Amino acid sequence: METIILSADNPHNIEICAESIASGDLVAIPTETVYGLAANACDASAVSKIFQTKGRQPDNPLIVHIAEPAQVERFVSDIPETFKTLSEKFWPGPLTLIMKSNGSIPDNVTAGLTTVAIRMPNHPATLALIHKSNCPIAAPSANLSGSPSPTRAIHVKHDLDGKIPYILDGGDCHVGLESTVLDISEYPPRILRPGGVTHDELTVLLGTVAIENDSTSAIDKPRSPGMKYRHYAPKAPMFALAGAPDATACYIKSQIDTDPRAAALMFDDYAIDHTHVVTFGAHHDLCVQAANLFDALRQLDALSPSQIFAQMPPATGLGYAITNRIKKASGNHIIEC
Ligand code: TXA
Ligand code: MG
């Protein structure tokens, strides 16, 4: 199968993709967080193609994407009071809400759980696509399982070329990290995956908000099944460096001096001048780091290095989600500098 990249600027292309989804095929779609691999969420056999195409474990449930907050009523049995507050403030946007399922979404979307994950993405082309296809859209990130999530159409092409008919190119994803997954099916609400909406923003609105431990160590029954898998990972072994940026930069310099095939992910303002160094934003510019992180990991992969060392921002605000992804990419190999 030839994979065609279609520009989302052309409304006719959105129609082509909507028809493809309505007829049971997969399409890669742009969102503000990362590209998604979309199928009709009500069509179990279309959804099963997502798992085959990505090589995704069937116990890892998918997010259902909708185009209007009111559409949750079709899929949720018990809409908590917090839903209205959260959807008014953050939708469309990078927040996925876990609520009790009413059973109308197929089991392979929810991985047989009694809850369903729902989000209204903030990209005009994808909202138009959901309206046009007239179905809710199940979509994980459009990468091969385990590799960094795609933030550009070309990343999707790299991973899924020949496996899907269309990639709807809506430009670079401006958030660059996946949505925050928040479980509001129980009290207190709990962040299962940190992302574009921060703990502070949620706390201001809701009061107490718990955070699931983000360690990747073997957890038998994590509340968010996806969090137990090694993710976002370049092929070479990667090490996340904890410590002040001048200390981690100094450590990287010593490593690159002794191993010429080593590579590093560094802040613009602490980077050393070396062909194997990829920068992802200034130390204090968390939004830029988030937007560049996955592309930077792919660039590092393309260098075929022996090993990769990564600087991490302070784990506050959006920095918490950035460090979560870097730690996961390193398989939780953390070096204190
Ligand atoms: O920003 C995003 O969330 C992107 C875009 C495409 O919307 N999607 C995305 O999907 O990152 P995915 O499949 O890569 O990650 C979904 C996460 C997984 O960790 C999964 O385990 C969790 O959400 N999840 C889905 N349904 C759940 C449920 N019912 N209970 C707990 N966790 C759930
Ligand atoms: Mg993913």
Side-chain angles (χ1 to χ4, degrees):
M1 174 192 308
E2 191 193 354
T3 299
I4 301 169
I5 299 186
L6 297 174
S7 167
D9 293 338
N10 182 344
H12 180 59
N13 290 339
I14 296 179
E15 268 166 37
I16 294 174
C17 292
E19 276 165 27
S20 190
I21 285 179
S23 68
D25 282 329
L26 304 187
V27 174
I29 56 165
T31 83
E32 80 283 25
T33 59
V34 301
Y35 275 78
L37 181 60
N40 175 357
C42 296
D43 178 345
S45 71
V47 168
S48 72
K49 292 183 194 169
I50 292 179
F51 289 88
Q52 280 161 23
T53 305
K54 274 187 64 112
R56 184 180 176 105
Q57 297 297 319
D59 68 350
N60 192 1
L62 305 177
I63 296 170
V64 176
H65 297 71
I66 57 175
E68 304 279 347
Q71 289 169 348
V72 298
E73 288 164 22
R74 289 167 56 192
F75 316 112
V76 174
S77 63
D78 180 10
I79 300 178
E81 270 175 36
T82 46
F83 172 77
K84 193 165 182 288
T85 320
L86 288 164
S87 60
E88 277 175 4
K89 171 91 177 152
F90 294 113
W91 279 7
L95 181 67
T96 294
L97 297 173
I98 309 280
M99 291 176 276
K100 294 218 161 58
S101 167
N102 66 9
S104 63
I105 286 288
D107 269 0
N108 59 354
V109 175
T110 59
L113 297 174
T114 55
T115 52
V116 58
I118 305 188
R119 151 168 137 83
M120 178 178 169
N122 189 12
H123 195 294
T126 286
L127 292 173
L129 176 84
I130 299 171
H131 279 300
K132 286 234 156 60
S133 63
N134 203 23
C135 45
I137 281 178
S141 48
N143 51 293
L144 289 174
S145 272
S147 65
S149 295
T151 52
R152 300 179 179 177
I154 200 75
H155 297 159
V156 182
K157 178 109 170 146
H158 178 271
D159 278 19
L160 302 181
D161 197 20
K163 297 183 167 187
I164 56 174
Y166 301 116
I167 299 168
L168 187 61
D169 183 354
D172 295 356
C173 301
H174 66 260
V175 175
L177 297 181
E178 302 86 345
S179 61
T180 302
V181 176
L182 182 70
D183 186 348
I184 56 169
S185 70
E186 286 175 18
Y187 185 84
R190 178 179 292 266
I191 295 175
L192 303 185
R193 177 179 72 183
V197 173
T198 65
H199 180 246
D200 288 349
E201 289 175 292
L202 293 169
T203 310
V204 166
L205 211 62
L206 305 178
T208 309
V209 176
I211 308 183
E212 189 74 351
N213 181 352
D214 76 348
S215 146
T216 43
S217 58
I219 307 168
D220 288 339
K221 248 190 172 295
R223 290 176 200 241
S224 185
M227 297 309 278
K228 73 183 174 195
Y229 295 108
R230 184 174 178 221
H231 260 152
Y232 321 114
K235 292 184 192 73
M238 183 164 148
F239 301 91
L241 305 182
D246 42 4
T248 52
C250 193
Y251 182 86
I252 288 171
K253 184 163 180 350
S254 70
Q255 293 299 315
I256 286 189
D257 284 346
T258 49
D259 175 2
R261 288 192 52 231
L265 175 71
M266 299 188 79
F267 302 124
D268 299 0
D269 41 349
Y270 288 86
I272 50 179
D273 190 16
H274 189 282
T275 49
H276 279 191
V277 168
V278 175
T279 58
F280 71 131
H283 176 243
H284 285 296
D285 207 340
L286 298 173
C287 289
V288 172
Q289 289 170 32
N292 289 333
L293 177 63
F294 289 139
D295 180 64
L297 293 179
R298 284 173 183 264
Q299 285 184 47
L300 286 162
D301 233 354
L303 296 168
S304 305
S306 55
Q307 48 185 341
I308 298 168
F309 299 95
Q311 291 192 294
M312 291 192 290
T316 52
L318 191 57
Y320 184 70
I322 297 169
T323 55
N324 167 275
R325 302 305 191 274
I326 294 176
K327 286 179 185 171
K328 282 199 180 291
S330 76
N332 248 4
H333 292 121
I334 301 164
I335 298 173
E336 300 283 341
C337 293

